[in-house]
Amino acid sequence: MERPRHQGMAKNTYMRWRLPLVCLLWEVAMIILFGVFVRFSPEADAHWEEEKQKMNVTSDIENDFYFRYPSFQDVHVMIFVGFGFIMMFLKRYGFGAVGFNFLLAAFGIQWALLMQGWFHSFKSGKILIGVENLINADFCVGSACIAFGAILGKTSPIQLLVMTLFQVTLFAVNEYILLNLLHVKDAGGSMTIHIFGAYFGLTVTRILYRPNLEQSKDKQGSVYHSDLFAMIGTLYLWIYWPSFNSAISEHGDAQHRAAINTYCSLAACVLTTVAFSSMLQKKGKLDMVHIQNATLAGGVAVGTSAEMMLTPYGSLIVGFISGIVSTVGYVYLTPFLESRLHIQDTCGIHNLHALPGLIGGIVGAITAAAATEDVYGKEGIIKAFDFTGPYQTRTPSVQGGFQAAGIVVSVLIAVAGGSLVGAILKLPVWGDPAAENCFEDDVYWEV
Amino acid sequence: MERPRHQGMAKNTYMRWRLPLVCLLWEVAMIILFGVFVRFSPEADAHWEEEKQKMNVTSDIENDFYFRYPSFQDVHVMIFVGFGFIMMFLKRYGFGAVGFNFLLAAFGIQWALLMQGWFHSFKSGKILIGVENLINADFCVGSACIAFGAILGKTSPIQLLVMTLFQVTLFAVNEYILLNLLHVKDAGGSMTIHIFGAYFGLTVTRILYRPNLEQSKDKQGSVYHSDLFAMIGTLYLWIYWPSFNSAISEHGDAQHRAAINTYCSLAACVLTTVAFSSMLQKKGKLDMVHIQNATLAGGVAVGTSAEMMLTPYGSLIVGFISGIVSTVGYVYLTPFLESRLHIQDTCGIHNLHALPGLIGGIVGAITAAAATEDVYGKEGIIKAFDFTGPYQTRTPSVQGGFQAAGIVVSVLIAVAGGSLVGAILKLPVWGDPAAENCFEDDVYWEV
Amino acid sequence: MERPRHQGMAKNTYMRWRLPLVCLLWEVAMIILFGVFVRFSPEADAHWEEEKQKMNVTSDIENDFYFRYPSFQDVHVMIFVGFGFIMMFLKRYGFGAVGFNFLLAAFGIQWALLMQGWFHSFKSGKILIGVENLINADFCVGSACIAFGAILGKTSPIQLLVMTLFQVTLFAVNEYILLNLLHVKDAGGSMTIHIFGAYFGLTVTRILYRPNLEQSKDKQGSVYHSDLFAMIGTLYLWIYWPSFNSAISEHGDAQHRAAINTYCSLAACVLTTVAFSSMLQKKGKLDMVHIQNATLAGGVAVGTSAEMMLTPYGSLIVGFISGIVSTVGYVYLTPFLESRLHIQDTCGIHNLHALPGLIGGIVGAITAAAATEDVYGKEGIIKAFDFTGPYQTRTPSVQGGFQAAGIVVSVLIAVAGGSLVGAILKLPVWGDPAAENCFEDDVYWEV
């Protein structure tokens, strides 16, 4: 049953005390910090009846819960089923894909509630949480799931927890800079989630470069059934992406519009992915890797602009382009990155998150800069870009500039942070597998 | 790896230029048409604040998005996961089932937004789309997914795209005739989706009759795991069918009632399916084919009447009957259709969609004809059947007659349209597989 | 294909007439009883327009449908996909797991609508049903799915239907005693669903004790793919549990709060499950059984208190403890129960439902007893515990005592009822499989 080669000669992958210690200590830390800081927002607190009077609303339906909870649940499915299953394509790493994703996300959402809470929901010494915080925590963890895709199969669960701890922290810092200091719009997270998560993960995997990874090359592929399991992940990501991009938009037209734009972009993306998957293969056959991944690029690429007046045909154009870019990336860029730049990107997150994320940031900047009162209405443009308070004199073209700055900041913080975290993860204490045991469940799982 | 028999002797299944060309050209056409015609509905447009004043509503929660978006997402899951996975029962056609369903649906929803838009949401030269249009586009594509079930494993992806193009067009015409000219109610689409989709698909497969299909008989069955994957599709269809039948009903009681009726009908249907599956098998064992399919007949069969005052026990009766009819169909009718009428119906859509669809149309006609002011209330009956404007003098019994006419029209247009499209698909230019390569993924997929 | 040992020497597992007879007769009974008793609630009835005036609401969005339908659909997924797939871990019992769960749940929800209806929604001779009744019916059936987990693989479908009939009946009685006579709060069902369902099922499996079960020991394990299918069930249960615990809470803050508390508890539970799974295994490897099950204990354990002011850190503590208790239970208690007490618990429901259910009941009692006007507000505390009418003088500490009494009552009725039903199921007429044929699909299924 236990094949000797899995013990690894130079590597100690024994988790028995290290992993429990990290899990238990960190969870105790969460309890203490939650005890000190986290309370319910007024809409989730038993004083809601009094709050209603203050807000001058008469119906419980005005509670933010009813505006956002269905989208929250869709996002929740994306994080735990979507990311968990899309990474199941590896023939011998199904437990690790879904199980470690589960672990890092369950830890990450707690830490994200704290980190994002301190930055955004801190009132008189307490973090007040409601359904929007849950969505934001899921979003933040989404960026960790993306980074996990780059190092899938090559790390220990402790490394993943350590990476998540740092990544969530840096995510919150980057998000604060973008949303609060630059006053950038990014409701679907092209920049904060996808660019940040992808470049962070790519930097980490670069630093963890394994020169002998071809020793486990036989396990790095898929089998028929593992590809079908992965399609469960793909489809749930694809189906619920309109919820993802609209989940934290303003009530009313913005949520409505974000869902429509995302729906359109994703639909177009499927067709160009199929076209290029067939075209770039000598025999003209479709490649499941592309169908599983590049079909989702359209969702990433409207992450910033979906809530804006991108319009349905604008969304189709964005989806059209991103499907092509992503598929071409899988065919040509991934091998190049691995052989020339030593970036071993297991899931190809560069093609699914980095490139479409850049497209998304740019499209967002252009869409913002092109906004006019004619298209948005006088009130509409103020509401859409929150041109209020200190920003009431900001113009759309200036906004476009800040949006572009957001891209640059996200890349920089991701690469700097990824370098730091990669260096930490390289320490020989975390129990990562030997090269010949990568992509193999029975290093960390009873199989 | 590449077995020579897959090349097919007389058949050229090489997709490399044909498939990309179709996908890219059609997507460009979509972009142009969307650019000319498609804009946001007022509830998704940045002018919503002004719209709210016009509508005299004060809260964003009155936006149609909040009435329909959760149901939309359920329907979206049904189309892409439900139909995609239920067709995965074939042992060697999992990629084709889920992948081609994905492709045709992604194209179809775009074309449906246009076609249905021209008929139903056209205002001053523009199609104005909101969440209800997304649901209707998914519905329309549902009928293409149904037709796909009849020809599953026997066609090339180009044929599926061509079929979808025509079927969506004809769907919109038929729907216009039923809903606008006959003023028929069909919120869950027993007629417009199921009867139309099923008879269309059955006609197409009749025309594409393959006399030598027994050459791939060994691949036309299931294996243990493919049956479990198929159950994912079944269960999501079953679970979300109440959302399907209520998604576009009137706000309030109609949506509420449609969900309850569908829930009841589906529950009853499971019991009669199990009963007849066991009874019609010599050893009394249950057949997965029936559990995967006939359990859903109850949802189809209340598609027209679910939003009416069918009542919970009425729904149980409909579910009871349709489970029996569908299971008996699988056991006796499918073999008969194949051997005598040369209708090769891979998924048995005749039993799951055609027959229960007919039941659904008839039950709808009877329920409408039996409506009384006593049961609906004076205001209620006008609202339920939209007896306003030119229809304010229509009586329930007349309505019942028009409902029945809707069945006939749907069958006729489906058969006529299916004949035309079948003839087109028979042209030897689409790259369909040879008989011995049917039901086999590696004709069109890298396996 | 048909191996002779499956015929069983002493056992007649032939279902051909018995199973259809039970299904058809019972469904006819449902139709008759629904015909006599079940009608639409005013919010689902065509007289809703008049009802709106009575309720003095102007918008359709005030219909209870919009407050609860998204949660209902999540719960529906949990019952049919969640329970169906989590039981799919057995290598040769996938059809039985998902198929029999489907059957018993589809029957159970109908009978539950009647039983719960008579107790809770009975007005002038009719049971008036709306979306809340559908949720409650799903909840009730949830307890039958739990009990199914204990006897999984060892019973015939008829036995499951008989068990469901009795269990739903007793569930409704127990629920009536708790909610109406003791005036206990239990929105997420720690007591009514989990304690009741688990102890009922454990008693049944004790009475059905099979001394020779080791004859099918080889089939009682999992294989790689069956574990991945089971993770689909686990993740959907985990993701949607916040909807489960909030689905029937009061509109507004209570639903909002219940979702947040459950989200927190579940997140903490994952970390302690991973910690103890690794710690209790000699090689420090993770065990899929724990990840599939114990990660859910946090949802069970806040079932009573989630809608109360448990607070996020309180939820983390509960999740922390329940993950440990559940994992330890799998490692030490399940073997003990089997060898010493002759309780053969296929899925380990004692660890996932009984123990966390007890924790849930106790935490609920404590949280209720600790309620203060300071934390809830004057109006809030009355609303949270429904201290109105005959209960307007009840104090939180008295409420805590009644909550504790609810635990005892649930255990007693479960054990008494389970004994009775176990004795009935022991009659040699139900067609259960011989010991050597347990955990094997091809006894009751065409494979």
Side-chain angles (χ1 to χ4, degrees):
Chain A
M1 184 63 84
E2 188 71 14
R3 284 170 287 170
R5 68 184 171 96
H6 293 134
Q7 302 310 321
M9 279 187 304
K11 297 278 189 177
N12 171 8
T13 61
Y14 191 67
M15 287 286 115
R16 190 164 182 189
W17 303 112
R18 282 182 286 186
L19 181 59
L21 207 70
V22 170
C23 288
L24 294 176
L25 281 184
W26 290 16
E27 191 55 51
V28 169
M30 289 300 113
I31 290 173
I32 295 169
L33 289 168
F34 269 59
V36 176
F37 290 109
V38 181
R39 298 294 180 271
F40 293 119
S41 82
E43 312 210 358
D45 191 279
H47 291 81
W48 161 244
E49 283 300 324
E50 299 158 29
E51 184 69 18
K52 278 203 291 189
Q53 289 165 13
K54 255 193 265 173
M55 290 168 62
N56 201 19
V57 302
T58 52
S59 168
D60 283 321
I61 199 86
E62 298 285 340
N63 194 306
D64 196 36
F65 183 77
Y66 301 103
F67 287 89
R68 304 205 187 276
Y69 189 72
S71 305
F72 158 66
Q73 276 296 3
D74 296 348
V75 170
H76 218 37
V77 171
M78 292 172 75
I79 299 298
F80 290 89
V81 169
F83 281 109
F85 273 74
I86 200 174
M87 292 192 280
M88 236 186 228
F89 67 99
L90 292 171
K91 66 178 86 161
R92 295 291 308 162
Y93 209 70
F95 292 3
V98 73
F100 293 156
N101 184 71
F102 195 12
L103 173 62
L104 77 84
F107 165 68
I109 53 179
Q110 299 176 60
W111 181 229
L113 282 175
L114 288 165
M115 281 303 307
Q116 295 180 314
W118 283 316
F119 279 121
H120 299 289
S121 312
F122 202 59
K123 273 186 196 156
S124 10
K126 299 294 174 199
I127 295 166
L128 303 183
I129 66 171
V131 64
E132 195 172 340
N133 298 70
L134 306 190
I135 299 170
N136 276 313
D138 271 28
F139 276 8
C140 176
V141 155
S143 88
C145 299
I146 291 166
F148 178 32
I151 55 176
L152 181 72
K154 300 175 295 189
T155 46
S156 75
I158 301 181
Q159 283 179 305
L160 295 173
L161 286 170
V162 171
M163 183 184 81
T164 302
L165 177 73
F166 283 99
Q167 192 178 348
V168 166
T169 310
L170 290 163
F171 178 100
V173 171
N174 183 55
E175 186 186 43
Y176 178 76
I177 295 173
L178 265 66
L179 303 191
N180 295 53
L181 305 187
L182 302 179
H183 199 66
V184 147
K185 302 297 281 183
D186 193 25
S190 290
M191 296 179 281
T192 53
I193 301 168
H194 298 286
I195 291 180
F196 175 78
Y199 285 105
F200 185 94
L202 291 166
T203 309
V204 168
T205 198
R206 173 64 191 81
I207 290 176
L208 298 181
Y209 176 64
R210 287 167 175 275
N212 302 317
L213 199 58
E214 78 286 354
Q215 290 178 10
S216 52
K217 212 70 190 176
D218 57 313
K219 284 171 286 183
Q220 219 182 328
S222 65
V223 289
Y224 198 70
H225 281 108
S226 68
D227 271 326
L228 295 180
F229 277 116
M231 276 306 288
I232 297 176
T234 298
L235 287 174
Y236 274 103
L237 289 170
W238 194 90
I239 290 165
Y240 287 151
W241 216 295
S243 300
F244 193 95
N245 284 348
S246 65
I248 59 162
S249 291
E250 292 283 326
H251 295 172
D253 60 304
Q255 280 198 292
H256 201 151
R257 187 161 62 242
I260 296 171
N261 281 330
T262 309
Y263 175 96
C264 289
S265 176
L266 285 163
C269 184
V270 174
L271 272 91
T272 53
T273 298
V274 167
F276 274 72
S277 180
S278 170
M279 206 155 73
L280 299 179
Q281 210 267 357
K282 222 178 55 187
K283 294 186 196 127
K285 295 186 183 184
L286 297 170
D287 188 331
M288 255 301 175
V289 172
H290 309 152
I291 308 301
Q292 280 162 15
N293 293 283
T295 51
L296 300 168
V300 178
V302 295
T304 303
S305 57
E307 62 172 8
M308 303 176 189
M309 289 292 283
L310 179 60
T311 73
Y313 72 89
S315 305
L316 292 188
I317 294 170
V318 176
F320 188 96
I321 293 166
S322 55
I324 295 171
V325 168
S326 185
T327 308
V328 169
Y330 274 98
V331 177
Y332 298 113
L333 263 177
T334 298
F336 173 85
L337 291 179
E338 176 150 5
S339 61
R340 300 300 171 87
L341 303 184
H342 290 179
I343 296 173
Q344 294 160 323
D345 178 5
T346 311
C347 294
I349 64 164
H350 187 258
N351 313 304
L352 174 45
H353 298 282
L355 294 177
L358 292 173
I359 295 174
I362 294 165
V363 169
I366 295 170
T367 312
T372 63
E373 273 191 20
D374 190 40
V375 170
Y376 286 78
K378 198 173 169 143
E379 239 177 308
I381 205 163
I382 293 168
K383 199 176 152 203
F385 298 98
D386 197 16
F387 287 156
T388 55
Y391 305 100
Q392 61 187 348
T393 58
R394 193 183 270 191
T395 62
S397 56
V398 172
Q399 177 71 21
F402 278 100
Q403 295 281 143
I407 303 172
V408 178
V409 169
S410 298
V411 172
L412 291 179
I413 295 183
V415 172
S419 305
L420 171 74
V421 174
I424 294 169
L425 296 185
K426 222 173 170 164
L427 297 175
V429 299
W430 309 117
D432 57 312
E436 72 267 29
N437 295 336
C438 284
F439 315 116
E440 172 68 57
D441 267 336
D442 74 1
V443 180
Y444 301 114
W445 296 85
E446 279 289 297
V447 178
Chain B
M1 182 64 82
E2 188 69 15
R3 284 169 288 171
R5 68 184 171 95
H6 293 134
Q7 302 309 324
M9 280 187 306
K11 297 280 189 175
N12 172 7
T13 60
Y14 191 68
M15 288 284 115
R16 190 164 182 188
W17 303 113
R18 284 182 283 184
L19 181 58
L21 207 71
V22 171
C23 288
L24 294 176
L25 281 184
W26 291 16
E27 191 55 50
V28 169
M30 290 299 113
I31 291 173
I32 294 169
L33 290 168
F34 269 59
V36 176
F37 290 110
V38 181
R39 297 293 179 273
F40 293 118
S41 81
E43 313 211 358
D45 191 278
H47 291 82
W48 161 244
E49 284 300 324
E50 299 158 30
E51 184 69 16
K52 277 202 292 189
Q53 289 165 13
K54 254 193 266 170
M55 290 168 63
N56 202 22
V57 302
T58 52
S59 168
D60 283 321
I61 198 87
E62 297 286 341
N63 195 304
D64 196 36
F65 183 77
Y66 302 103
F67 288 88
R68 305 205 186 275
Y69 189 72
S71 305
F72 158 66
Q73 276 295 4
D74 295 348
V75 171
H76 218 36
V77 170
M78 292 172 76
I79 299 299
F80 290 89
V81 169
F83 280 110
F85 273 74
I86 200 174
M87 292 192 281
M88 237 187 226
F89 66 98
L90 291 172
K91 67 178 83 158
R92 294 291 308 162
Y93 208 70
F95 292 2
V98 72
F100 292 156
N101 184 70
F102 195 12
L103 173 62
L104 78 84
F107 165 68
I109 54 178
Q110 299 176 60
W111 181 229
L113 282 175
L114 288 165
M115 281 303 307
Q116 295 180 313
W118 284 316
F119 279 122
H120 299 288
S121 312
F122 202 60
K123 273 185 195 157
S124 9
K126 300 292 174 200
I127 296 165
L128 303 182
I129 65 171
V131 63
E132 195 173 338
N133 299 70
L134 306 190
I135 299 170
N136 276 313
D138 271 29
F139 275 6
C140 176
V141 155
S143 87
C145 300
I146 291 167
F148 178 31
I151 55 175
L152 182 73
K154 301 176 294 189
T155 45
S156 76
I158 301 181
Q159 283 179 305
L160 295 173
L161 286 170
V162 171
M163 184 183 81
T164 302
L165 178 74
F166 284 99
Q167 192 177 348
V168 165
T169 310
L170 290 163
F171 178 100
V173 171
N174 183 55
E175 186 187 43
Y176 178 76
I177 295 172
L178 265 66
L179 304 191
N180 295 51
L181 304 187
L182 302 179
H183 198 67
V184 147
K185 301 298 281 183
D186 193 26
S190 290
M191 296 179 282
T192 53
I193 301 168
H194 298 287
I195 291 180
F196 175 78
Y199 284 106
F200 186 94
L202 291 166
T203 308
V204 169
T205 198
R206 173 64 191 82
I207 290 176
L208 298 181
Y209 176 64
R210 288 167 174 274
N212 302 318
L213 200 58
E214 78 286 353
Q215 290 177 9
S216 53
K217 212 70 190 177
D218 58 311
K219 284 171 286 182
Q220 218 182 330
S222 65
V223 288
Y224 197 69
H225 281 108
S226 67
D227 270 327
L228 295 180
F229 277 116
M231 276 306 288
I232 296 175
T234 298
L235 287 175
Y236 275 102
L237 289 170
W238 194 90
I239 290 165
Y240 287 151
W241 216 293
S243 300
F244 193 93
N245 284 348
S246 66
I248 58 163
S249 291
E250 293 283 327
H251 294 171
D253 59 303
Q255 281 198 291
H256 201 151
R257 189 162 59 241
I260 296 171
N261 281 330
T262 310
Y263 176 96
C264 289
S265 177
L266 285 163
C269 183
V270 174
L271 272 91
T272 52
T273 298
V274 168
F276 274 73
S277 181
S278 170
M279 207 156 71
L280 299 180
Q281 209 267 357
K282 222 179 55 187
K283 294 186 197 125
K285 295 187 183 185
L286 297 170
D287 188 331
M288 256 300 177
V289 172
H290 309 153
I291 308 302
Q292 279 162 15
N293 293 282
T295 51
L296 300 168
V300 177
V302 296
T304 303
S305 56
E307 62 173 9
M308 304 177 188
M309 288 292 283
L310 179 60
T311 74
Y313 71 90
S315 306
L316 292 188
I317 294 171
V318 176
F320 189 97
I321 293 167
S322 55
I324 295 172
V325 168
S326 185
T327 308
V328 170
Y330 274 98
V331 177
Y332 297 114
L333 264 176
T334 299
F336 173 85
L337 291 179
E338 177 152 2
S339 61
R340 300 298 171 88
L341 303 184
H342 288 180
I343 296 173
Q344 295 161 322
D345 177 7
T346 310
C347 294
I349 64 165
H350 187 259
N351 315 303
L352 174 45
H353 298 282
L355 294 177
L358 291 174
I359 295 174
I362 294 165
V363 170
I366 294 170
T367 312
T372 63
E373 272 191 20
D374 190 40
V375 169
Y376 286 79
K378 198 173 170 142
E379 240 177 306
I381 205 163
I382 292 168
K383 201 178 151 201
F385 297 99
D386 199 16
F387 287 156
T388 55
Y391 305 100
Q392 61 187 350
T393 57
R394 194 183 270 191
T395 62
S397 56
V398 172
Q399 178 70 22
F402 278 99
Q403 295 281 143
I407 303 173
V408 179
V409 170
S410 298
V411 173
L412 290 179
I413 295 182
V415 172
S419 305
L420 172 73
V421 173
I424 294 169
L425 296 185
K426 221 171 172 166
L427 297 174
V429 299
W430 309 117
D432 56 313
E436 72 268 27
N437 295 336
C438 285
F439 315 116
E440 172 67 57
D441 266 335
D442 75 2
V443 180
Y444 301 113
W445 296 86
E446 280 288 296
V447 177
Chain C
M1 182 63 84
E2 187 72 13
R3 284 169 289 171
R5 69 183 170 96
H6 292 133
Q7 302 310 322
M9 279 187 305
K11 296 280 189 175
N12 172 8
T13 60
Y14 191 67
M15 287 286 115
R16 191 165 182 187
W17 303 113
R18 283 181 285 184
L19 181 59
L21 206 71
V22 170
C23 288
L24 294 177
L25 280 184
W26 290 16
E27 192 55 52
V28 169
M30 290 299 113
I31 291 173
I32 295 169
L33 290 168
F34 269 59
V36 176
F37 290 110
V38 181
R39 299 293 180 273
F40 293 118
S41 82
E43 313 210 358
D45 190 279
H47 291 82
W48 162 244
E49 285 299 325
E50 299 158 30
E51 184 69 16
K52 278 203 291 190
Q53 288 165 13
K54 254 193 266 172
M55 290 167 63
N56 201 21
V57 302
T58 52
S59 169
D60 283 321
I61 199 86
E62 297 286 341
N63 194 306
D64 196 36
F65 183 77
Y66 301 103
F67 287 89
R68 305 205 186 275
Y69 189 71
S71 305
F72 158 66
Q73 276 296 3
D74 295 348
V75 171
H76 218 37
V77 170
M78 292 172 75
I79 299 299
F80 290 89
V81 169
F83 281 109
F85 273 74
I86 199 174
M87 291 192 280
M88 235 187 227
F89 67 98
L90 292 171
K91 66 178 84 160
R92 294 290 308 161
Y93 208 70
F95 292 4
V98 72
F100 293 156
N101 185 69
F102 196 13
L103 173 63
L104 78 83
F107 165 68
I109 53 180
Q110 299 177 59
W111 181 230
L113 282 175
L114 288 165
M115 281 304 306
Q116 295 180 313
W118 283 316
F119 279 121
H120 300 287
S121 311
F122 202 59
K123 273 186 195 158
S124 7
K126 299 294 173 199
I127 296 166
L128 304 182
I129 66 171
V131 64
E132 195 172 338
N133 299 70
L134 306 190
I135 299 170
N136 276 313
D138 272 29
F139 276 6
C140 176
V141 155
S143 87
C145 299
I146 292 167
F148 178 33
I151 55 175
L152 181 72
K154 300 175 294 187
T155 46
S156 75
I158 300 181
Q159 284 179 305
L160 295 173
L161 286 171
V162 171
M163 184 183 79
T164 303
L165 177 73
F166 283 100
Q167 192 178 348
V168 166
T169 310
L170 290 162
F171 178 100
V173 171
N174 184 55
E175 186 186 44
Y176 178 75
I177 294 173
L178 264 65
L179 304 191
N180 296 51
L181 304 187
L182 302 179
H183 198 67
V184 147
K185 302 298 280 183
D186 192 25
S190 289
M191 296 179 281
T192 53
I193 301 168
H194 298 287
I195 291 181
F196 176 78
Y199 284 105
F200 186 95
L202 291 166
T203 309
V204 168
T205 198
R206 172 64 191 81
I207 290 176
L208 299 181
Y209 176 64
R210 288 168 174 275
N212 302 317
L213 199 58
E214 78 284 355
Q215 290 178 11
S216 52
K217 212 70 190 175
D218 57 312
K219 285 171 285 183
Q220 218 181 331
S222 64
V223 289
Y224 198 69
H225 281 108
S226 68
D227 271 327
L228 295 179
F229 277 116
M231 276 306 287
I232 297 175
T234 298
L235 287 175
Y236 275 102
L237 289 170
W238 194 90
I239 290 165
Y240 286 151
W241 216 294
S243 300
F244 193 94
N245 283 347
S246 66
I248 58 163
S249 291
E250 293 282 326
H251 294 173
D253 60 303
Q255 281 198 293
H256 202 151
R257 188 162 61 240
I260 296 171
N261 281 330
T262 309
Y263 176 96
C264 290
S265 177
L266 285 162
C269 183
V270 174
L271 272 90
T272 53
T273 297
V274 167
F276 274 73
S277 181
S278 170
M279 207 155 73
L280 299 180
Q281 209 266 357
K282 222 177 57 188
K283 294 184 197 129
K285 294 187 183 184
L286 297 170
D287 188 332
M288 256 302 177
V289 172
H290 308 152
I291 308 302
Q292 279 162 16
N293 292 282
T295 51
L296 300 168
V300 177
V302 296
T304 304
S305 56
E307 62 172 8
M308 303 176 189
M309 289 293 283
L310 178 61
T311 73
Y313 71 89
S315 306
L316 292 189
I317 294 171
V318 176
F320 188 96
I321 293 167
S322 55
I324 295 172
V325 168
S326 185
T327 309
V328 170
Y330 274 99
V331 177
Y332 297 114
L333 264 177
T334 298
F336 173 84
L337 291 179
E338 177 151 3
S339 61
R340 299 301 171 87
L341 303 184
H342 289 181
I343 296 173
Q344 295 160 324
D345 177 6
T346 310
C347 294
I349 64 165
H350 187 260
N351 313 304
L352 174 46
H353 299 282
L355 294 177
L358 291 173
I359 296 174
I362 293 164
V363 170
I366 295 170
T367 312
T372 63
E373 272 191 20
D374 190 41
V375 170
Y376 286 79
K378 198 174 168 139
E379 238 177 307
I381 205 163
I382 292 168
K383 201 177 151 203
F385 297 98
D386 198 17
F387 287 156
T388 55
Y391 304 99
Q392 62 187 348
T393 58
R394 193 183 270 192
T395 62
S397 56
V398 171
Q399 178 71 22
F402 277 100
Q403 295 281 143
I407 303 173
V408 179
V409 170
S410 298
V411 173
L412 290 179
I413 294 182
V415 173
S419 305
L420 172 74
V421 173
I424 294 170
L425 296 184
K426 220 170 173 170
L427 297 175
V429 299
W430 309 117
D432 56 313
E436 71 267 28
N437 296 335
C438 284
F439 315 116
E440 172 66 59
D441 266 336
D442 75 1
V443 180
Y444 302 113
W445 297 85
E446 280 288 296
V447 177

